[in-house]
C-alpha cells in the first residue's frame, strides 16, 4: 500500500462541549460509508484476546503515561512528518494489557488550535508505530501554506455569529468572549478562521453554546454547530437503592467519596450556577414521588454511581476522563423543562423535571446517556453534527443500554429502549428504540447518503440498530419481557454475538480508533479493526460485525449466501475493461442475464474487480434492469487502500432476473485513476 494523500473532508465540526437527550435543533453535514478489511492480531472465536483489552489504569498510572507522551511529543511529531510549526498536545492515553498504547493528540499550528487536526497513534510495547488514525488527511505542506494573518476584523466574525445565534432562537445579544483565531481543517484544506461562541438560552430553555466558524480571509461562514448536547435512596425509577453519601449522624449530604466525590445539587428551578448541595439529617433521600425534591436527586445520584461503576468494572476507566475525578449532577433545572444535558464547561449533568414538573428526566438510562457524552467528549471527541454527531448520540444510547443491563435493577431491568421510564411522549412509549429505530417516527433504521443532514438524535438510529443487531441479531425475540423484531436493510439475517462483546468492541473503537470526524464508514472500519484485534479476522465475531453493518446498509456482508435460498451458482460475467475517469462522470459495465425464470435471488452475489490507486474515491452501484439502484460501496476519504476486489450480497428478490444489469462506478475525487476489470453476477 502506498502512502495516503490529501482528500476533501466530508464530515465537519470541532470538539463538542455538551449534549442534550432530545433534539433541540437541526444539524447539517454529509459523509459516506465504505467497506474496509484489515488484518489484526489473532484470537479465538469464543474469547477475546486478553492482551488487546484495555488495562485498568489508576489515575496516577494514566497521568504518568500522559506525562511520558507529553515529554516525547516533539519526537512523535517529527516521526509523523509534521511541519516545524505544528505541535502536538496529548489529550488521552489508553494502554492495552499487552503494552500497546493508543495516544490521542490535538494539534496546533503556529500556536493556533487546529480544529479537525486530532489523531490517534497506536504503538507497540516496544515503541514501534503500528497505526495512525487522523481526523483529516490534510498534509503538512497544506498546513504550512496557511497565512496566519487575518484579512477581516474579529468584529465581523462576532456579528455573523450573533446573527446565526438569533436565527437559531438565542436570547443573547453579545458573544461570550472575543472570537479566537483557529486553523479550520475539519472540512479538508486548512484555512485560517475565527471561532466565535454565543451563549444564553435556546428557545426551549436549554443553555446555548453556538459555535460559528468564519473564514478569516473572506468573512464567509464556514460552519456552525450547537455545542450543548443535549445512604438510602427512594428513587422514582429504580426503587429503593443504596447511595454513596458523606457526613455523619445528623448531617449528611449527597457527595459520593467512593466515586470521585460526585455531588448532586438542587437548582430549585434555576438555570445557572450549581445550586445547593443536597443535605439532610437522616441519610434517607426522597420518597419515590416526584413531589419530593430529594427523589429526583436520589435517581440522578444513583445513575451517576452505576455509570461510574460500569465504566470502571467493565472497561477499566476510572471516571469520565479516566482521572478519578467525579462530575456533578444538577436536578430541578428550569420550569417544565423536558430535557437533560451534559455540558463540558461545567463537567456536569443537568436534568429538567419534565412537563408540569411531574416527570423528572432522571431515570438510569438518561443518567448513563448524559455521562457517556462526557466519555465521548474526552476520548474520540466526535463532532456534534453530521454523521459524527449521530455516532455521538448513538454512543450515549449504546452505553445507556449497557449500564441498564449492568445495573440489573429490579425496578428498571435492562432493555433496548431509551427513556422508557420518563414518559416523555405522554403516552407511555419510549423516546427511542434500538431494535428498529424508526418506531419513534423520526429515527432512521439504515444509513443513506443524506443521513448527515438530519438531526443527530435521528441520524443516530443506524448505529443504535447496528449495536442491537450485533448484540442480539435480527428477527423476533423477547428479552426481559420486552418484545423486539429487528429488520435488516438487505433482508438477510444477522446472528448476534452477545451484548458484552458488542459493548467491548464499541468502547475500544471509540477510545482507540474514532476521531472527531469519524463517520459511519469510519465507524465500520474502526469496529472491524477492533474485532480483528480481539477475536481475529477469521472469527465469527469479525464476520458478525461485517454483517451487522451490512444490515444497516454500510459495507458488504462477510460472504456466503442466504441459507434459505442457495441458488444454483450460474454466473454471468463481463471481462471487458472499462476506464474510470478521474473525478469524472460515472461509467458502467453491463451483463445480460437470460434463461432465468422469475425473480433474482435474495442473496445475489455481485463480484467486483476494480484496479484503482485510491479506492476511497469510488462510489459503486448495482443497477437492475428496471433502473433500480443498489449501493455496494460509498466513497470515503478515510479508505486509502488500493483496488476493489470484493463480492457483495444484494437482496434482489424484487427484481426480474432476466435483462441487462449494470455495475456503475464513479470516481468522485481527483488525483487517482483506475479501471473496471470485471463484473459478474452469481445466481
Amino acid at each position: 500500500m502506498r502512502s495516503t494523500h490529501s482528500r476533501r473532508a466530508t464530515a465537519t465540526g470541532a470538539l463538542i462541549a455538551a449534549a442534550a437527550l432530545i433534539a433541540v435543533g437541526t444539524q447539517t453535514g454529509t459523509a459516506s460509508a465504505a467497506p474496509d478489511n484489515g488484518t489484526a492480531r489473532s484470537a479465538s472465536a469464543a474469547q477475546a484476546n486478553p492482551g488487546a483489552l484495555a488495562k485498568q489504569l489508576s489515575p496516577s498510572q494514566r497521568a504518568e503515561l500522559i506525562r511520558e507522551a507529553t515529554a516525547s511529543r516533539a519526537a512523535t511529531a517529527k516521526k509523523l512528518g509534521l511541519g516545524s510549526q505544528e505541535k502536538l498536545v496529548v489529550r488521552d492515553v489508553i494502554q492495552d494489557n499487552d503494552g500497546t498504547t493508543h495516544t490521542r493528540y490535538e494539534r496546533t499550528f503556529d500556536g493556533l488550535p487546529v480544529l479537525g487536526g486530532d489523531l490517534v497513534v497506536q504503538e507497540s510495547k516496544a515503541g514501534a508505530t503500528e497505526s495512525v488514525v487522523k481526523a483529516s488527511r490534510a498534509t503538512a505542506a497544506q498546513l504550512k501554506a496557511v497565512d496566519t494573518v487575518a484579512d477581516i476584523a474579529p468584529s465581523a466574525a462576532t456579528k455573523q455569529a450573533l446573527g446565526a445565534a438569533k436565527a437559531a432562537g438565542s436570547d443573547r445579544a453579545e458573544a461570550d468572549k472575543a472570537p479566537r483565531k483557529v486553523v479550520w481543517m475539519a472540512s479538508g484544506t486548512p484555512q485560517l478562521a475565527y471561532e466565535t461562541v454565543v451563549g444564553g438560552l435556546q428557545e426551549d430553555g436549554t443553555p446555548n453554546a453556538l459555535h460559528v466558524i468564519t473564514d478569516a480571509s473572506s468573512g464567509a461562514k464556514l460552519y456552525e454547530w450547537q455545542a450543548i448536547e443535549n445512604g438510602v435512596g427512594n428513587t422514582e425509577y429504580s426503587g429503593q437503592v443504596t447511595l454513596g453519601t458523606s457526613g455523619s449522624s445528623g448531617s449528611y449530604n449527597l457527595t459520593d467519596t467512593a466515586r470521585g466525590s460526585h455531588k448532586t445539587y438542587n437548582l430549585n428551578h434555576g438555570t445557572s450556577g450549581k445550586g445547593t448541595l443536597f443535605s439532610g439529617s437522616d441519610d434517607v433521600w426522597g420518597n419515590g414521588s416526584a413531589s419530593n425534591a430529594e427523589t429526583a436527586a436520589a435517581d440522578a445520584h444513583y445513575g451517576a454511581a452505576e455509570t461510574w461503576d460500569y465504566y470502571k468494572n467493565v472497561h477499566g476507566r476510572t471516571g469520565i476522563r479516566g482521572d478519578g475525578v467525579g462530575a456533578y449532577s444538577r436536578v430541578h433545572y428550569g420550569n417544565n423543562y423536558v430535557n437533560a444535558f451534559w455540558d463540558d464547561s461545567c463537567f456536569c449533568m443537568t436534568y429538567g423535571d419534565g412537563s408540569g414538573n411531574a416527570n423528572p428526566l432522571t431515570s438510569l438510562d438518561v443518567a448513563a446517556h448524559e455521562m457517556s457524552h462526557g466519555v465521548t467528549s474526552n476520548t474520540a471527541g466526535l463532532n456534534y453534527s453530521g454523521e459524527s454527531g449521530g455516532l455521538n448520540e448513538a454512543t450515549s444510547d449504546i452505553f445507556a443500554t449497557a449500564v441498564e443491563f449492568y445495573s440489573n435493577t429490579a425496578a428498571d431491568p435492562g432493555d433496548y429502549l431509551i427513556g422508557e421510564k420518563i414518559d416523555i411522549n405522554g403516552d407511555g412509549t419510549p423516546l427511542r428504540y434500538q431494535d428498529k429505530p424508526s418506531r419513534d417516527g423520526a429515527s432512521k433504521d439504515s444509513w443513506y447518503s443524506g443521513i448527515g443532514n438530519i438531526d443527530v438524535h435521528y441520524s443516530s438510529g443506524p448505529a443504535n440498530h447496528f449495536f442491537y443487531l450485533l448484540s442480539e441479531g435480527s428477527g423476533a425475540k423477547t428479552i426481559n419481557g420486552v418484545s423486539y423484531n429487528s429488520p435488516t436493510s438487505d433482508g438477510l439475517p444477522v446472528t448476534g454475538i452477545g451484548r458484552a462483546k458488542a459493548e467491548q468492541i464499541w468502547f475500544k473503537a471509540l477510545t482507540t480508533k474514532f476521531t472527531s470526524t469519524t463517520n459511519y464508514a469510519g465507524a465500520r472500519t474502526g469496529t472491524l479493526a477492533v474485532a480483528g484485534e480481539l477475536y481475529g479476522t477469521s472469527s465469527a465475531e469479525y464476520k458478525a460485525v461485517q454483517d451487522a453493518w451490512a444490515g444497516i446498509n454500510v459495507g458488504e456482508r462477510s460472504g456466503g449466501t442466504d441459507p434459505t435460498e442457495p441458488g444454483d451458482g450460474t454466473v454471468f460475467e463481463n471481462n471487458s475493461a472499462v476506464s474510470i475517469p478521474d473525478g469524472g462522470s460515472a461509467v458502467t459495465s453491463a451483463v445480460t442475464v437470460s434463461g432465468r425464470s422469475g425473480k433474482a435471488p435474495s442473496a445475489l452475489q455481485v463480484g467486483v474487480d476494480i484496479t484503482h490507486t485510491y479506492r476511497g474515491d469510488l462510489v459503486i452501484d448495482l443497477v437492475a434492469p428496471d433502473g433500480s439502484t443498489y449501493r455496494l460501496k460509498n466513497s470515503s476519504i478515510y479508505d486509502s487502500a488500493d483496488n476493489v476486489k470484493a463480492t457483495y450480497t444484494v437482496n434482489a428478490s424484487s427484481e426480474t432476473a432476466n435483462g441487462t444489469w449494470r455495475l456503475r462506478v464513479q470516481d468522485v475525487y481527483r488525483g487517482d485513476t483506475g479501471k473496471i476489470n470485471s463484473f459478474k453476477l452469481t445466481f
Side-chain angles (χ1 to χ4, degrees):
M1 181 191 301
R2 55 165 173 75
S3 61
T4 60
H5 56 275
S6 175
R7 279 290 180 272
R8 289 169 289 176
T10 55
T12 58
L15 297 179
I16 64 165
L21 178 69
I22 61 175
V24 294
T26 301
Q27 309 293 339
T28 60
T30 60
S32 52
D36 183 9
N37 295 315
T39 58
R41 291 168 281 187
S42 62
S44 70
Q47 184 176 0
N49 172 10
L53 293 173
K55 179 180 180 180
Q56 183 164 334
L57 300 172
S58 68
S60 61
Q61 288 174 319
R62 175 179 175 273
E64 176 60 20
L65 287 173
I66 290 176
R67 187 198 65 76
E68 292 173 356
T70 300
S72 61
R73 59 184 174 171
T76 300
K78 185 176 180 180
K79 185 164 58 174
L80 294 176
L82 302 186
S84 60
Q85 293 172 284
E86 297 178 71
K87 291 188 175 9
L88 295 174
V89 179
V90 180
R91 184 175 174 195
D92 194 17
V93 180
I94 304 290
Q95 188 172 71
D96 296 342
N97 288 322
D98 65 4
T100 300
T101 58
H102 311 267
T103 306
R104 188 176 295 277
Y105 297 94
E106 300 293 342
R107 202 179 335 182
T108 64
F109 175 76
D110 199 22
L112 300 178
V114 180
L115 304 186
D118 51 303
L119 51 93
V120 182
V121 178
Q122 178 176 310
E123 292 183 329
S124 68
K125 184 177 181 179
T129 300
E130 296 181 330
S131 69
V132 180
V133 182
K134 296 182 179 180
S136 170
R137 294 195 176 277
T139 64
Q142 288 177 304
L143 258 178
K144 189 176 180 180
V146 174
D147 183 357
T148 58
V149 178
D151 294 326
I152 67 167
S155 58
T158 299
K159 182 177 179 181
Q160 183 184 81
L162 289 171
K166 183 177 180 181
S170 172
D171 65 350
R172 186 60 61 92
E174 59 184 23
D176 280 9
K177 53 187 174 182
R180 68 168 182 167
K181 282 203 297 187
V182 299
V183 175
W184 177 251
M185 198 160 77
S187 298
T189 304
Q191 59 193 117
L192 186 67
Y194 286 110
E195 179 191 26
T196 311
V197 182
V198 182
L201 298 176
Q202 298 177 52
E203 288 179 310
D204 71 344
T206 302
N208 189 56
L210 186 71
H211 291 239
V212 179
I213 304 297
T214 304
D215 189 325
S217 295
S218 67
K221 185 176 73 175
L222 298 175
Y223 199 70
E224 70 175 62
W225 75 96
Q226 177 57 254
I228 293 295
E229 304 163 27
N230 284 317
V232 175
N234 295 304
T235 71
E236 181 174 359
Y237 303 116
S238 296
Q240 189 173 87
V241 298
T242 300
L243 300 179
T245 61
S246 296
S248 57
S249 180
S251 179
Y252 299 94
N253 63 75
L254 287 183
T255 300
D256 193 340
T257 55
R259 298 176 177 87
S261 293
H262 169 269
K263 301 176 187 292
T264 300
Y265 295 89
N266 183 4
L267 278 173
N268 195 28
H269 305 299
T271 57
S272 62
K274 281 186 177 180
T276 305
L277 180 65
F278 276 93
S279 59
S281 60
D282 56 5
D283 210 14
V284 176
W285 309 91
N287 62 4
S289 171
S291 61
N292 185 308
E294 290 184 352
T295 298
D299 272 301
H301 205 70
Y302 177 69
E306 292 296 283
T307 305
W308 175 287
D309 290 352
Y310 167 78
Y311 279 110
K312 182 177 181 179
N313 297 334
V314 177
H315 300 297
R317 188 174 186 86
T318 306
I320 286 173
R321 290 189 297 243
D323 60 359
V325 177
Y328 65 86
S329 298
R330 306 184 302 177
V331 298
H332 305 307
Y333 174 90
N335 267 299
N336 304 307
Y337 180 65
V338 190
N339 217 331
F341 59 90
W342 164 267
D343 190 343
D344 274 347
S345 66
C346 66
F347 198 61
C348 69
M349 292 81 68
T350 304
Y351 306 91
D353 286 330
S355 180
N357 292 326
N359 293 292
L361 278 77
T362 50
S363 64
L364 178 60
D365 57 355
V366 173
H369 175 104
E370 300 309 336
M371 287 184 73
S372 294
H373 274 305
V375 173
T376 296
S377 177
N378 286 277
T379 54
L382 288 161
N383 298 332
Y384 204 61
S385 181
E387 290 193 23
S388 58
L391 293 170
N392 188 320
E393 271 298 313
T395 295
S396 282
D397 284 350
I398 286 167
F399 291 122
T401 291
V403 169
E404 214 174 59
F405 275 102
Y406 169 84
S407 182
N408 196 29
T409 304
D412 188 9
D415 53 50
Y416 293 92
L417 310 173
I418 306 300
E420 72 281 0
K421 289 286 188 177
I422 56 178
D423 194 23
I424 204 166
N425 297 319
D427 58 4
T429 59
L431 180 60
R432 288 189 283 275
Y433 305 79
Q434 291 182 301
D435 65 319
K436 188 178 181 182
S438 61
R439 290 172 65 190
D440 67 14
S443 295
K444 307 303 179 184
D445 293 333
S446 302
W447 182 91
Y448 62 93
S449 60
I451 199 165
N453 296 321
I454 67 174
D455 188 275
V456 296
H457 297 83
Y458 308 137
S459 63
S460 65
N464 272 321
H465 193 189
F466 162 80
F467 176 73
Y468 178 87
L469 288 171
L470 185 61
S471 299
E472 305 292 349
S474 57
K477 52 182 60 70
T478 300
I479 303 167
N480 280 353
V482 179
S483 296
Y484 304 96
N485 192 357
S486 191
T488 59
S489 63
D490 58 7
L492 301 178
V494 170
T495 300
I497 60 174
R499 188 181 57 263
K501 291 180 179 179
E503 291 170 22
Q504 202 66 256
I505 288 170
W506 193 266
F507 182 80
K508 186 173 174 66
L510 175 75
T511 55
T512 68
K513 309 298 181 186
F514 293 179
T515 69
S516 61
T517 61
T518 295
N519 58 9
Y520 272 96
R524 181 183 188 275
T525 299
T527 51
L528 278 174
V530 166
E533 291 171 2
L534 293 175
Y535 301 103
T537 55
S538 62
S539 65
E541 288 81 359
Y542 188 90
K543 294 176 181 177
V545 172
Q546 288 180 299
D547 291 344
W549 280 119
I552 65 159
N553 196 34
V554 181
E556 75 268 28
R557 287 266 173 171
S558 59
T561 58
D562 181 353
T564 65
E565 189 174 342
D568 59 12
T570 301
V571 176
F572 299 87
E573 187 170 7
N574 184 343
N575 289 307
S576 298
V578 178
S579 295
I580 304 170
D582 181 25
S585 58
V587 295
T588 61
S589 175
V591 297
T592 299
V593 175
S594 61
R596 308 292 300 179
S597 60
K599 301 291 186 179
S602 62
L604 178 65
Q605 302 295 293
V606 185
V608 177
D609 184 342
I610 293 175
T611 300
H612 198 274
T613 50
Y614 201 102
R615 58 176 276 158
D617 288 0
L618 303 178
V619 175
I620 305 175
D621 295 306
L622 175 69
V623 183
D626 67 354
S628 298
T629 301
Y630 298 84
R631 178 59 50 89
L632 304 180
K633 178 191 175 300
N634 292 283
S635 62
S636 172
I637 62 172
Y638 307 108
D639 187 9
S640 61
D642 298 335
N643 310 326
V644 180
K645 299 181 185 296
T647 299
Y648 301 90
T649 302
V650 171
N651 181 3
S653 58
S654 63
E655 307 292 343
T656 300
N658 289 336
T660 300
W661 296 72
R662 291 177 172 80
L663 183 74
R664 185 172 66 197
V665 181
Q666 183 175 12
D667 183 337
V668 296
Y669 298 128
R670 294 195 179 278
D672 295 89
T673 59
K675 63 180 179 178
I676 304 172
N677 297 311
S678 67
F679 158 48
K680 67 179 180 181
L681 298 176
T682 304
F683 283 78

